[in-house]
Amino acid sequence: MKIVVIGGSGLIGSKLVNNLRALGNEVIAASPASGVNTITGEGLAEVLAGAQVVVDVANSPSFEDKAVLEFFQTSGRNLLAAEEKAGVKHHVALSVVGTDRLAESGYFRGKIAQEKLIRESKVPYTIVHSTQFFEFLGGIAQSGTDGKTVHLSPAFVQPIASDDVAAAMADFTVGAPINGVVEIAGPERVRLSELVQRYLSKTNDPRTVVADMHARYFGAELKDDTLVPGDNPRIGKLGFDAWFALPKAPR
């Protein structure tokens, strides 16, 4: 198949492109750097010509509320319209477990808008809801840092390694559209505050995590079930310790 990966040079996109090529597909990693811009529409018609599947793993370059919403709405409209014209048979999008429970967050309002556009388009689709990636633990710690302490929610998370995300995305990409949502998650359920403390300890970071039920996660307060999957998610192979032992795991 000819498969176009929007955001194909990013953390997940680059791994996904390699996985799909290993399966014998013609895969194009599309991004503004390669002349494909979903905001302006530049290059979309050309890159989608003859494509059977489009995978969208692009993310907003800004996390400011208005900018995120505009990015996902504009990108989604342009991309899906171009797919309809090109006769694309399957649109696969990477989103987040708990998106529908996080409307308090500007970022997740953007993701909600993106998913709405996908559902309302004429292109058959699969939306993949993933839990948080281990690779973002450092950024999460930074977001809650105040001096030498880190204030984070003690809500449960079930984080996943980017390698496992890319493997799951590859399988869903070459599979049939489900016209619905599938969930993927890591093998371990743990409290966010405890997990980040483990990460900081492993990286010899002297900061201390304080469990704070009112600490915000991308602008939203969390409940215990906000960020965890429902019944029967696809479970990744790597837990925290196995992921951290990888030579490429960020330190």
Side-chain angles (χ1 to χ4, degrees):
M1 291 189 293
K2 178 182 177 181
I3 302 170
V4 177
V5 180
I6 304 295
S9 60
L11 172 66
I12 301 300
S14 57
K15 296 174 187 285
L16 176 59
V17 166
N18 289 337
N19 289 351
L20 292 170
R21 284 176 178 162
L23 294 173
N25 298 289
E26 175 191 354
V27 186
I28 298 176
S31 68
S34 70
V36 180
N37 191 319
T38 57
I39 298 299
T40 65
E42 176 192 3
L44 275 179
E46 294 80 3
V47 78
L48 295 184
Q52 286 91 6
V53 184
V54 172
V55 189
D56 187 2
V57 293
N59 206 354
S60 173
S62 168
F63 275 31
E64 189 273 325
D65 288 1
K66 183 179 178 182
V68 168
L69 184 60
E70 289 180 351
F71 174 85
F72 284 120
Q73 286 183 326
T74 303
S75 177
R77 286 194 189 102
N78 289 341
L79 181 58
L80 289 163
E83 289 178 30
E84 287 188 29
K85 289 181 180 179
V88 170
K89 303 301 183 186
H90 189 187
H91 178 93
V92 185
L94 180 61
S95 193
V96 185
V97 163
T99 288
D100 55 331
R101 300 187 287 270
L102 287 160
E104 187 182 5
S105 160
Y107 178 81
F108 288 99
R109 286 195 296 273
K111 296 299 288 185
I112 289 168
Q114 178 192 33
E115 292 187 22
K116 183 173 185 289
L117 289 168
I118 294 168
R119 291 187 177 95
E120 292 176 351
S121 82
K122 296 178 182 178
V123 182
Y125 69 90
T126 300
I127 297 173
V128 182
H129 275 188
S130 174
T131 54
Q132 183 58 272
F133 309 156
F134 287 125
E135 284 81 359
F136 290 164
L137 290 177
I140 292 171
Q142 192 60 36
S143 72
T145 294
D146 181 10
K148 295 183 178 181
T149 61
V150 182
H151 288 259
L152 291 175
S153 170
F156 284 109
V157 292
Q158 200 166 327
I160 188 169
S162 62
D163 285 347
D164 287 331
V165 175
M169 289 294 292
D171 287 345
F172 293 127
T173 298
V174 300
I178 67 164
N179 294 314
V181 174
V182 292
E183 292 186 317
I184 60 176
E188 300 167 352
R189 186 167 294 193
V190 62
R191 295 193 181 276
L192 178 63
S193 52
E194 295 174 3
L195 178 64
V196 173
Q197 184 64 75
R198 284 170 64 189
Y199 175 80
L200 295 179
S201 298
K202 283 266 196 181
T203 55
N204 299 313
D205 191 310
R207 288 176 291 176
T208 300
V209 177
V210 175
D212 179 354
M213 63 183 297
H214 298 298
R216 291 184 173 265
Y217 179 86
F218 295 104
E221 283 194 16
L222 302 178
K223 297 179 180 178
D224 267 353
D225 63 350
T226 303
L227 296 179
V228 294
D231 297 334
N232 302 315
R234 170 169 166 153
I235 299 297
K237 297 178 180 179
L238 298 174
F240 173 77
D241 289 334
W243 166 77
F244 194 85
L246 295 174
K248 58 190 174 183
R251 295 290 185 265

